[in-house]
Amino acid sequence: MAVAVCILSAGCKPSTQAPAPLPPPVTVATPIRKEVVEWDEYTGRTEAVESVDVRPRVSGYIDQISFKDGQLVKPGDVLFVVDPRPYQDVLDQDKANLQSADAQRQLKEANFARAQKLFQNNVTAKEEYDTSVAQRNQAAAEFAQARATVNSAALNVEFTEVKSPIQGRISRQLVTRGNLVQADSTVLTKVVSVDPIYAYFNVDQRTVQKYYNQIQGGQLQDPRVSTMPVYLQLEGETGFPHEGVIDFVDNTYNASTGTLQIRGRFKNDNASLYPDAFVRVRIAGTPKHDAILITDRAVGTDQGQKFVLLVDDNSVVQVRPVELGPVVDGLRVVRNGLGPDDHVIVDGLVNARPGSKVTAQPGDMNQSLAGQSEPVVTVSADSQTQQNGQGDSAGSGNASAGHK
């Protein structure tokens, strides 16, 4: 009886149920509002301002090499010496011929003077006088010809010393001592200028039109008539520490690529920039303006459409399509779709489902900033650009071959 009562009393207890699970946690942060310049980045290639393939002007055997591979040279420095003896002998022979022509010229001049007096006194006939005139003129022409031959031979002797035509850094010797070289044909070495240096890059037609519209509106400077800054980054460098100016914009598009070639000129006093190197260059794509910035971690893609996930006041996940711009200071510019007070999911995206509830935890978008300094670049039509060699951001580092 007691056991039955216990069993019955136990069955009368209310059943216990497991509590409902909490919504999954996510980290949200509000976008950063900051004054920025949107940069357009391109792949470029450096090129020496001056570049010379050194060739001899006379043929012969290399007798002397007067430089060390890779050294700096100045205009007029002797690089190679072609054996000058054959050319010196020709010069000596031509000088002797010049002396003979000069003697004949003086003799004909004296004969003409005598013939002229006799003709004036009616002693000789007109025919003899004309003959003296012709002989004098012929002697003068032969003397001029002999003098030109001497000058040409002297040039050849001078050309046996192959000199640097420009200031710059020389390559290695491509022809060693004792080899035969041909005039205007054999390449002996190469000299390229060091400072300054060019960087060429190509801009697509749509971006050129964007620049033109902003220049017409007074938002950007015209690089053809005023100084427009450009910045350069080498492989492995952080940011864009090399500052230059645009000094050339081509006058036609490339028919094959539909791009316009632009050239930047950069100081290279420390010789850190070498010709024919692939580099990243960037120029201001917009004037300074207020922008909304978020981290790329918060951006998703759905069939090419970019979107972010937001958490509303009811802790419900919402999808928001956005239009993105370039990366500035490590954060992505959002041109349309977000406001400064929206709560964007930056961590825990795998736990968020549109229309479902989540547990929002506060985060800080500033943790993704690559640089905390205030913008120091002013890009406008009526102000001079000043910067610290980095622009107003530390660089994105993930740009593609086209512009961003």
Side-chain angles (χ1 to χ4, degrees):
M1 180 71 70
V3 173
V5 171
C6 291
I7 294 174
L8 291 174
S9 62
C12 293
K13 290 183 178 180
S15 61
T16 60
Q17 296 181 354
L22 294 175
V26 296
T27 302
V28 298
T30 56
I32 295 175
R33 190 168 185 173
K34 186 179 181 182
E35 193 177 42
V36 300
V37 172
E38 296 183 20
W39 300 96
D40 292 335
E41 297 184 8
Y42 306 91
T43 297
R45 192 163 187 173
T46 56
E47 185 174 310
V49 174
E50 296 180 297
S51 177
V52 177
D53 288 331
V54 179
R55 290 179 168 88
R57 294 189 176 186
V58 293
S59 299
Y61 290 88
I62 295 296
D63 188 54
Q64 181 181 342
I65 299 176
S66 306
F67 69 93
K68 294 182 179 179
D69 295 349
Q71 77 175 61
L72 293 172
V73 296
K74 300 186 296 296
D77 285 353
V78 177
L79 307 179
F80 296 85
V81 175
V82 178
D83 187 0
R85 292 173 297 177
Y87 297 99
Q88 185 62 53
D89 290 342
V90 172
L91 175 60
D92 293 341
Q93 181 179 356
D94 290 338
K95 285 181 177 180
N97 293 335
L98 176 62
Q99 292 179 352
S100 176
D102 187 35
Q104 287 296 321
R105 179 181 64 86
Q106 293 178 10
L107 176 61
K108 299 301 181 181
E109 286 283 354
N111 291 338
F112 168 74
R114 287 191 293 270
Q116 187 176 29
K117 289 181 179 180
L118 294 175
F119 177 72
Q120 291 174 349
N121 295 327
N122 296 322
V123 176
T124 58
K126 180 74 165 54
E127 181 180 0
E128 294 181 3
Y129 172 75
D130 292 340
T131 301
S132 298
V133 172
Q135 291 175 347
R136 183 202 63 175
N137 294 340
Q138 181 180 4
E142 291 175 351
F143 173 77
Q145 181 179 4
R147 184 171 55 188
T149 302
V150 169
N151 292 338
S152 177
L155 277 178
N156 286 336
V157 173
E158 182 180 346
F159 289 157
T160 59
E161 291 186 343
V162 182
K163 300 177 181 179
S164 175
I166 63 173
Q167 179 173 339
R169 190 175 299 277
I170 197 169
S171 181
R172 64 183 180 89
Q173 48 185 275
L174 302 179
V175 177
T176 57
R177 184 177 176 182
N179 282 283
L180 176 65
V181 296
Q182 299 296 328
D184 303 323
S185 176
T186 307
V187 178
L188 303 177
T189 187
K190 185 174 184 177
V191 181
V192 296
S193 61
V194 176
D195 183 30
I197 194 169
Y198 289 145
Y200 288 89
F201 56 98
N202 297 313
V203 181
D204 62 274
Q205 188 171 349
R206 171 183 284 185
T207 306
V208 171
Q209 188 62 41
K210 180 190 75 172
Y211 295 152
Y212 176 78
N213 294 337
Q214 292 179 349
I215 291 172
Q216 292 298 107
Q219 298 170 319
L220 289 180
Q221 300 175 0
D222 187 348
R224 296 183 189 271
V225 297
S226 60
T227 300
M228 183 173 181
V230 59
Y231 305 98
L232 182 145
Q233 177 192 69
L234 295 174
E235 183 70 26
E237 286 185 332
T238 301
F240 291 74
H242 306 277
E243 175 194 0
V245 295
I246 293 177
D247 71 341
F248 168 74
V249 178
D250 211 346
N251 57 357
T252 60
Y253 284 99
N254 186 308
S256 300
T257 62
T259 58
L260 189 68
Q261 188 177 71
I262 298 178
R263 183 179 71 195
R265 184 184 181 99
F266 297 85
K267 290 188 64 176
N268 192 31
D269 47 6
N270 59 357
S272 62
L273 301 177
Y274 282 80
D276 296 326
F278 285 102
V279 294
R280 297 292 300 172
V281 296
R282 73 176 184 180
I283 58 178
T286 64
K288 187 181 291 187
H289 65 284
D290 287 334
I292 299 295
L293 306 174
I294 63 172
T295 177
D296 271 337
R297 298 199 312 269
V299 180
T301 304
D302 182 13
Q303 296 182 354
Q305 174 64 53
K306 301 295 184 180
F307 67 89
V308 297
L309 298 180
L310 308 180
V311 177
D312 62 15
D313 295 337
N314 298 320
S315 299
V316 177
V317 177
Q318 303 290 340
V319 179
R320 182 73 60 82
V322 291
E323 179 185 349
L324 302 180
V327 171
V328 176
D329 288 349
L331 295 179
R332 179 70 62 178
V333 173
V334 180
R335 293 200 172 100
N336 291 306
L338 277 185
D341 299 325
D342 290 328
H343 293 83
V344 181
I345 299 178
V346 294
D347 283 316
L349 292 174
V350 295
N351 299 326
R353 295 291 183 269
S356 64
K357 285 195 171 186
V358 292
T359 301
Q361 300 174 352
D364 187 4
M365 199 74 72
N366 287 284
Q367 294 178 355
S368 299
L369 277 175
Q372 299 292 337
S373 60
E374 291 297 323
V376 290
V377 175
T378 300
V379 182
S380 63
D382 56 356
S383 63
Q384 180 67 27
T385 299
Q386 297 179 355
Q387 47 73 52
N388 61 358
Q390 299 284 339
D392 70 343
S393 71
S396 59
N398 60 351
S400 61
H403 78 279
K404 295 182 65 181

